[in-house]
């Protein structure tokens, strides 16, 4: 398929470096998304970086009014964020991983439409200079009342938090020798957790058997940076690495990957599409943003986007359906994505056309 099937609808220059985009999954706010920022502030006396600050930006996408920033909050630097897949007490809630060793929970309020901080959890107050690098909710395919978050940190540790009005740390354990770049639940059984680290290890844990990994995979040729469990195809998960390869896995037999896709750049984030769950959105840092179709026998890149000139860290699918996408005229396509890049401080909203 000819590349270039992803076309820009809107762009926005962020004040700080942009590293994460997450669309709200819930009606009636599927046209709302958040963009997270991370900025190092230098010490004027020493010239060294001494403080990490951030912003949490809330946007609305409207066919009549375009892209509109409706809220901007000053925060600690943000490294990852995820909406809970299910509403909590009939509200959408957002978990945010920060550079000051915390996970924050925000609730989306209706009038006015804005995020409000609900609760925070300091992961480990005895560990200075610890960054929470990634997080994932346990709710990918569960409507149970048990809400858990797994997160990973810059010291190589993993943590399980439980959210029930307040956010509490349940357990922590050492996972990786260097930074634990990514952690995520296997949505079909959230006793199972995966993690990837700068030590190039891809680990599988079963919390019922203790805190040692039940499987260590050493296939990745560099640090493991991304992971996502497929919520409709049992046993299927995806991982990505600095080695510029996406690997698809059957978690029952992880000695060899099901498929390996060479990408144009190092992987940072992977997201299964929320519709057919047979496409991956990949943020490839200096290598652009891409859509990969895994439905065919040989997985292939079916769309590429190169508007980000300097480290595309964030990418996410919107949950807007085809009819809602059609309202945004001027570009053809069946779905809308958001992406952002770091040093050029650029947020892009684009249409993806699968029929090109």
């Amino acid at each position: 398929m000819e590349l270039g099937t992803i076309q820009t609808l809107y762009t926005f220059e962020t004040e700080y470096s942009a590293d994460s985009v997450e669309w709200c999954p819930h009606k009636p706010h599927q046209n709302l998304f958040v963009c997270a920022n991370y900025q190092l502030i230098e010490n004027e006396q020493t010239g060294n970086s001494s403080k990490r600050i951030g912003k949490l930006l809330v946007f609305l996408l409207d066919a009549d009014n375009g892209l509109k920033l409706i809220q901007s909050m000053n925060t600690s630097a943000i490294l990852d964020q995820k909406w809970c897949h299910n509403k909590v007490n009939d509200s959408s809630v957002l978990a945010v991983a920060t550079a000051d060793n915390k996970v924050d929970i925000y609730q989306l309020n209706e009038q006015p439409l804005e995020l409000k901080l609900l609760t925070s959890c300091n992961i480990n107050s005895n560990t200075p200079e610890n960054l929470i690098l990634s997080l994932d909710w346990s709710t990918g395919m569960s409507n149970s009342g048990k809400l858990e978050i797994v997160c990973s940190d810059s010291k190589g540790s993993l943590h399980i938090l439980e959210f029930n009005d307040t956010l509490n740390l349940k357990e922590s354990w050492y996972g990786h020798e260097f930074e634990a770049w990514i952690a995520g639940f296997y949505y079909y059984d959230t006793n199972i957790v995966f993690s990837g680290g700068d030590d190039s290890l891809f680990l599988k844990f079963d919390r019922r058997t203790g805190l040692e990994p039940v499987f260590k995979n050493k296939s990745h040729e560099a640090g493991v940076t991304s992971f996502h469990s497929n919520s409709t195809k049992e046993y299927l998960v995806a991982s990505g690495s600095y080695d510029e390869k996406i690997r698809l896995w059957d978690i029952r037999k992880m000695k060899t990957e099901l498929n390996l896709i060479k990408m144009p750049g190092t992987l940072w984030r992977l997201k299964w599409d929320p519709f057919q769950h047979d496409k991956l959105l990949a943020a490839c840092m200096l290598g652009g943003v891409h859509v990969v179709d895994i439905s065919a026998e040989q997985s292939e890149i079916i769309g590429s986007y190169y508007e980000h000139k300097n480290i595309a860290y964030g990418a996410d699918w919107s949950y807007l359906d085809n009819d809602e996408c059609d309202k945004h005229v001027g570009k053809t396509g069946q779905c809308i994505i958001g992406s952002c890049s770091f040093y050029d401080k650029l947020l892009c909203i684009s249409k993806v056309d699968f029929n090109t």
Side-chain angles (χ1 to χ4, degrees):
M1 179 178 287
E2 180 185 352
L3 300 185
T5 56
I6 305 176
Q7 296 181 299
T8 306
L9 287 173
Y10 307 101
T11 62
F12 184 93
E13 293 184 9
T14 60
E15 180 182 356
Y16 299 157
S17 299
D19 62 4
S20 174
V21 175
E22 294 288 330
W23 288 86
C24 181
H26 308 127
K27 294 181 178 180
H29 300 307
Q30 291 176 332
N31 65 331
L32 180 146
F33 68 91
V34 287
C35 177
N37 297 173
Y38 178 113
Q39 193 76 26
L40 284 173
I41 302 299
E42 290 187 353
N43 186 308
E44 294 182 358
Q45 294 180 333
T46 66
N48 296 323
S49 299
S50 60
K51 190 177 181 181
R52 298 178 176 91
I53 62 172
K55 284 184 182 290
L56 184 55
L57 306 177
V58 185
F59 290 89
L60 281 180
L61 181 64
D62 184 87
D64 296 323
N65 301 310
L67 182 65
K68 182 180 180 182
L69 176 67
I70 64 169
Q71 187 180 9
S72 175
M73 286 181 284
N74 292 318
T75 64
S76 174
I78 298 171
L79 294 107
D80 195 15
Q81 52 182 349
K82 297 288 192 312
W83 294 94
C84 182
H85 303 83
N86 307 321
K87 285 189 174 182
V88 180
N89 297 324
D90 206 33
S91 296
S92 300
V93 295
L94 178 74
V96 175
T98 73
D100 61 356
N101 213 11
K102 289 182 180 179
V103 173
D104 297 328
I105 301 289
Y106 292 86
Q107 177 178 288
L108 182 62
N109 291 342
E110 291 285 347
Q111 294 182 346
L113 187 61
E114 62 181 10
L115 288 174
K116 286 288 189 182
L117 182 65
L118 274 184
T119 184
S120 297
C121 182
N122 192 322
I123 300 300
N124 187 347
S125 58
N126 297 321
T127 306
E129 292 295 310
N130 191 33
L131 286 66
I132 308 302
L133 298 176
S134 76
L135 57 78
D136 190 25
W137 289 88
S138 63
T139 50
M141 56 177 299
S142 169
N143 288 311
S144 68
K146 189 176 184 181
L147 302 175
E148 291 186 325
I149 294 170
V150 61
C151 61
S152 62
D153 71 29
S154 58
K155 303 295 185 182
S157 292
L158 307 174
H159 314 275
I160 301 290
L161 296 81
E162 188 167 16
F163 175 54
N164 185 9
D165 295 330
T166 60
L167 190 62
N168 299 297
L169 182 64
K170 285 185 65 178
E171 54 189 342
S172 300
W173 68 95
Y174 175 79
H176 295 270
E177 185 175 354
F178 305 114
E179 290 92 339
W181 291 123
I182 193 72
F185 286 104
Y186 171 57
Y187 294 141
Y188 278 81
D189 183 352
T190 55
N191 288 302
I192 296 174
V193 170
F194 287 88
S195 68
D198 208 47
D199 52 10
S200 304
L201 291 178
F202 182 41
L203 304 181
K204 176 184 175 184
F205 298 89
D206 189 329
R207 294 152 62 195
R208 293 164 295 196
T209 65
L211 301 179
E212 292 296 318
V214 295
F215 190 82
K216 291 184 178 182
N217 184 280
K218 301 179 181 179
S219 298
H220 301 78
E221 300 159 33
V224 182
T225 55
S226 49
F227 168 85
H228 201 197
S229 173
N230 195 300
S231 59
T232 65
K233 296 171 176 58
E234 191 172 6
Y235 308 122
L236 180 63
V237 302
S239 65
S241 168
Y242 285 134
D243 67 10
E244 302 186 354
K245 298 180 180 73
I246 295 173
R247 290 170 170 83
L248 304 178
W249 304 93
D250 182 326
I251 71 164
R252 298 167 296 181
K253 42 186 179 181
M254 290 192 61
K255 290 185 178 180
T256 305
E257 63 267 9
L258 292 171
N259 206 340
L260 187 147
I261 306 106
K262 179 69 169 66
M263 300 300 291
T266 52
L267 274 299
W268 187 252
R269 282 292 177 264
L270 287 172
K271 303 280 186 66
W272 291 106
D273 77 272
F275 308 109
Q276 302 300 319
H277 305 273
D278 60 2
K279 297 175 182 65
L280 282 165
L281 184 61
C284 291
M285 297 178 70
L286 291 173
V289 175
H290 307 273
V291 175
V292 180
D293 186 354
I294 64 104
S295 61
E297 185 173 333
Q298 291 297 320
S299 302
E300 61 177 348
I301 297 173
I302 61 170
S304 294
Y305 188 73
Y306 290 107
E307 291 303 309
H308 297 289
K309 305 305 180 188
N310 210 322
I311 308 189
Y313 275 139
D316 196 25
W317 307 88
S318 82
Y319 292 75
L320 296 168
D321 60 23
N322 199 356
D323 291 339
E324 290 296 319
C325 291
D326 286 342
K327 294 178 182 178
H328 296 269
V329 298
K331 308 292 182 183
T332 59
Q334 297 76 46
C335 75
I336 291 174
I337 63 170
S339 55
C340 66
S341 45
F342 200 72
Y343 291 114
D344 49 359
K345 303 175 183 179
L346 183 64
L347 166 70
C348 297
I349 304 302
S350 312
K351 261 191 181 182
V352 182
D353 189 354
F354 298 123
N355 297 326
T356 301

